[in-house]
Structures are given as structure tokens and as C-alpha cells.
Amino acid sequence: MKLQRMNRRALALGALAVSGALALTACGSDDTGGNTNGGDASAAANSNIKCDDAKGQIQASGSSAQKNAMDAWVKQYVTACKDVQVNYRPDGSGAGITAFTQGQTAFAGSDSALKPDEVEATKKICTDGQGINLPMVGGPIAVGFNVPGVDTLVLDAPTLAQIFDSKITNWNDEAIAKLNPEAKLPDLKIQAFHRSDESGTTDNFTKYLKAAAPNDWKYEPAKAWAAKGGQSAPQSSGVAQQVKQTSGAISYFELSYAKDGIKTVDIKTEAAEPVKATVENATAAIGAAKVVGTGKDLALELDYTPAAAGAYPMVLVTYEIACDKGNKAETLPATKSFLNYMASEDGQGLLADAGYAPMPTEIITKVRETISGLS
């Protein structure tokens, strides 16, 4: 068992090195650059993945926040199920939902549950059914910053709201200094970056600002950025790269993108101590979520203003969106097989190493039951 866990971890870490849009196949080549019939074959032999005679191509797109998790899942899955090719484009939640409602993909990834008009649109391609939300992966929305000479930074919701609404424009502003009395804040212009594409990460980030700082954030939460000013970049990888290379920058993105030296903000809540953006602290918040979807839909209601110690307030849940009925017959077996793996104990077990929070047991159990009934 120990060796098996080590193999899974090695595969997950190897998968995270994959960049760009995902198009991984289970051909004779070795994706990791090693021996064709070496570690991959061993991992496949020890795998609990059920291929269920799945074959063909799965086209999917959407959330870029889950890209690193999807990389790890696909790497494992196509190693075991060699007759299946999975192509996932991390082009943003809005684009993913649009592609799904136009019948271009087998499922979509979205960091926000379907809205009523989007559910209605799915009925055109889900014969006698509709699109449903399957919560699959969670994690904190990290706020990354690049301020020379500052390694630790504490911000609260009102200050964040004013920064991203261009009301606080310099790093030595009194409001920031008050929260960071020991920091040597430079006289440096703030470069606030937001997503240029429609994004579930933006939706959840602005839901937090609206809930925790209603007097300072006057915009309605949405996938499209509404505030004036600031700069933009596409996808989570784009805004993370801007933070890394721009002095004075700040932005929001899924924690798995806070790498290569990007520092993240500690968030001041009602708890005694500021809360760090960690998988464990996000899990504490997601565990308090409530299922508010009806029927087979498993949409969750998150608490963006937790007061408990160690509960990180900015979390998102990425949903895989599929038809409850009326899925395309030619891709249904492979889609169910792949989704089943993602929701399995092994699939969820990869998430922490990739910087994500697995779904709580009671939620992921319902997801597995729902996937088995897709038709």
C-alpha cells in the first residue's frame, strides 16, 4: 500500500508539470519521458480505476482553477484506460458552460453552479433531462501579492474591496499599514489584476467581497468583472503570472497557482488570528457547506463569512456539469468512467498533493451515486 501511494503521488506531481491546454492520450509514448513500459504500466496494473469498456474521446472544457487537478486525474486515468483520450481545455467557467450548452463537450467544469437560465439552456442538448452540478474539487482562492520587502501581508475584506475597486491605490496606504504594523510597506503603486474572461473564480471572489464587505463592494457577484480600473489577464495562470512578474501586483487565483515564489495574503476574519490560505483551512470552510440543489443537482451554498478559527473565508467549489439524462450515447460510457474515477477515493486522494481540497465524505458519496445514474 505504501508503494502504491508513492506511485500515485509521483504520477500526480509529474502531471502538474504539464502546461497548456490538456490533450493527453494513452498511446505508446511515455508522457513523462521515461521508459514506455516502465512506471506507467506498473501504476496501471495496481490501479483501481474501472474503465468499464470505455473508449473514444472525451471533449471537455471550463474552469482553469481545476486545471492542475485535471492534469493529475487525466494522467492517471489514460494510463489505466488506454482506449480513451481526454481533452480538457481550461478556458474559463463561462466558456465551458457555453461550449456545453452548445453541445460541443461531454461535460463542463465551472467554479459556480449553473444559474436558472443556464439550466434552461442545457435542456436543448440534454434529451429529456438537464444539466446538473457535481461538486468535485474545492480549494481556497488565494490572494497573491508582489510587494518588495514584504513577506507577510494581512488584509481584511473591506481593504481588499477598496484595493480591487481602485479606492486604495498605494501599498503604504493607512488602511494597509494599520493591518500590518510591523511591515515596511513601500511607497509603491498597487497593480491590481482581475480576470479578463468570465470566471467562476471571479464569481466566488466577488461573492466573498459582497458578503464580507457590503459597504465597500457595491457590485453584484458575477463571472464577469464589474469594477472599474485595474488591469486584466486571461485565466488563473495569466493573473498568477502577472503577480509573479509585476512589482506592486496583487490578484486572486486558486491556491495551486500560488507557486514559484508567489506569496499569499493572510485574511483577517472575525476569528482571533488571521487565516492563511491552505488546503486544510479551506476544507474546514467547505465542510460547512449545504447542498441546496434539488433532485440530482448537488449545488452547494458556501459560507463566505466564517467566524471559526482556521476557517478560510474565500473558497470555491468546482463543479463538473453533465446531463442527468440525454448524454451523448457515444461518449457516455467514457464520461461516466472518468467522472467515477475523479470522485473515487483514489481520485480525491490526489487533490491535497496538487494543492486542492477534496470534497467532504457526505458530499462526494452523493456525487458517486449521482454519476452512476447518469444516462
Side-chain angles (χ1 to χ4, degrees):
M1 290 299 293
K2 182 176 181 181
L3 178 59
Q4 186 176 351
R5 289 195 297 270
M6 291 174 64
N7 283 341
R8 289 202 301 268
R9 177 171 297 208
L11 282 168
L13 293 175
L16 296 180
V18 179
S19 61
L22 196 59
L24 298 178
T25 66
C27 301
S29 62
D30 179 5
D31 294 322
T32 61
N35 186 291
T36 303
N37 296 314
D40 280 355
S42 175
N46 294 325
S47 174
N48 293 319
I49 297 173
K50 296 180 180 180
C51 300
D52 295 328
D53 298 322
K55 59 183 62 177
Q57 292 189 358
I58 301 173
Q59 301 291 342
S61 67
S63 165
S64 64
Q66 72 168 356
K67 176 189 177 295
N68 293 333
M70 191 65 74
D71 284 355
W73 279 329
V74 173
K75 178 70 175 182
Q76 285 277 55
Y77 181 79
V78 300
T79 297
C81 302
K82 298 185 179 298
D83 292 327
V84 181
Q85 179 179 341
V86 182
N87 300 289
Y88 183 80
R89 297 190 311 277
D91 49 9
S93 298
I97 291 173
T98 298
F100 180 74
T101 56
Q102 292 178 348
Q104 299 173 7
T105 54
F107 70 89
S110 176
D111 304 318
S112 296
L114 290 170
K115 291 180 170 30
D117 61 321
E118 294 170 336
V119 173
E120 196 62 31
T122 65
K123 295 179 180 179
K124 298 177 182 178
I125 56 100
C126 299
T127 308
D128 298 324
Q130 66 180 46
I132 57 173
N133 301 285
L134 301 171
M136 196 68 74
V137 56
I141 300 173
V143 177
F145 68 95
N146 181 348
V147 183
V150 179
D151 293 326
T152 301
L153 184 69
V154 176
L155 296 174
D156 58 13
T159 307
L160 276 169
Q162 292 178 61
I163 287 172
F164 281 92
D165 197 22
S166 303
K167 300 294 177 57
I168 293 177
T169 58
N170 217 65
W171 278 112
N172 63 356
D173 187 274
E174 182 180 353
I176 301 175
K178 185 177 180 179
L179 291 165
N180 300 272
E182 298 182 3
K184 295 181 179 179
L185 298 167
D187 182 7
L188 177 66
K189 182 181 178 181
I190 294 174
Q191 307 283 349
F193 286 87
H194 58 266
R195 289 280 291 272
S196 60
D197 53 325
E198 289 198 0
S199 160
T201 310
T202 295
D203 193 19
N204 283 278
F205 179 61
T206 53
K207 281 178 180 176
Y208 162 73
L209 294 178
K210 185 69 172 179
N215 293 329
D216 297 285
W217 191 258
K218 302 297 185 180
Y219 311 95
E220 288 303 313
K223 294 185 181 74
W225 186 257
K228 307 301 180 184
Q231 302 180 65
S232 65
Q235 304 174 12
S236 296
S237 58
V239 290
Q241 182 61 29
Q242 290 297 331
V243 170
K244 183 180 178 181
Q245 67 187 22
T246 306
S247 180
I250 186 171
S251 190
Y252 57 93
F253 36 79
E254 215 283 331
L255 180 63
S256 68
Y257 289 88
K259 50 192 176 183
D260 298 330
I262 295 178
K263 304 178 184 69
T264 60
V265 171
D266 297 345
I267 303 298
K268 187 180 185 304
T269 66
E270 295 301 318
E273 298 295 331
V275 186
K276 294 186 178 297
T278 68
V279 169
E280 293 77 15
N281 291 343
T283 299
I286 295 172
K290 300 177 182 178
V291 176
V292 294
T294 58
K296 295 181 179 179
D297 187 84
L298 298 176
L300 302 177
E301 182 178 79
L302 299 169
D303 181 4
Y304 293 99
T305 57
Y312 187 76
M314 279 187 288
V315 295
L316 62 77
V317 169
T318 300
Y319 300 91
E320 313 312 331
I321 295 168
C323 297
D324 58 352
K325 298 178 182 178
N327 290 278
K328 296 178 182 178
E330 63 272 21
T331 58
L332 179 59
T335 299
K336 288 181 68 172
S337 172
F338 182 51
L339 291 175
N340 268 320
Y341 166 62
M342 292 162 64
S344 70
E345 185 176 347
D346 284 355
Q348 292 289 299
L350 291 179
L351 293 178
D353 284 343
Y356 297 89
M359 288 294 98
T361 300
E362 61 273 18
I363 293 175
I364 203 65
T365 298
K366 294 178 181 178
V367 171
R368 293 166 188 159
E369 293 171 353
T370 302
I371 292 171
S372 67
L374 298 181
S375 62

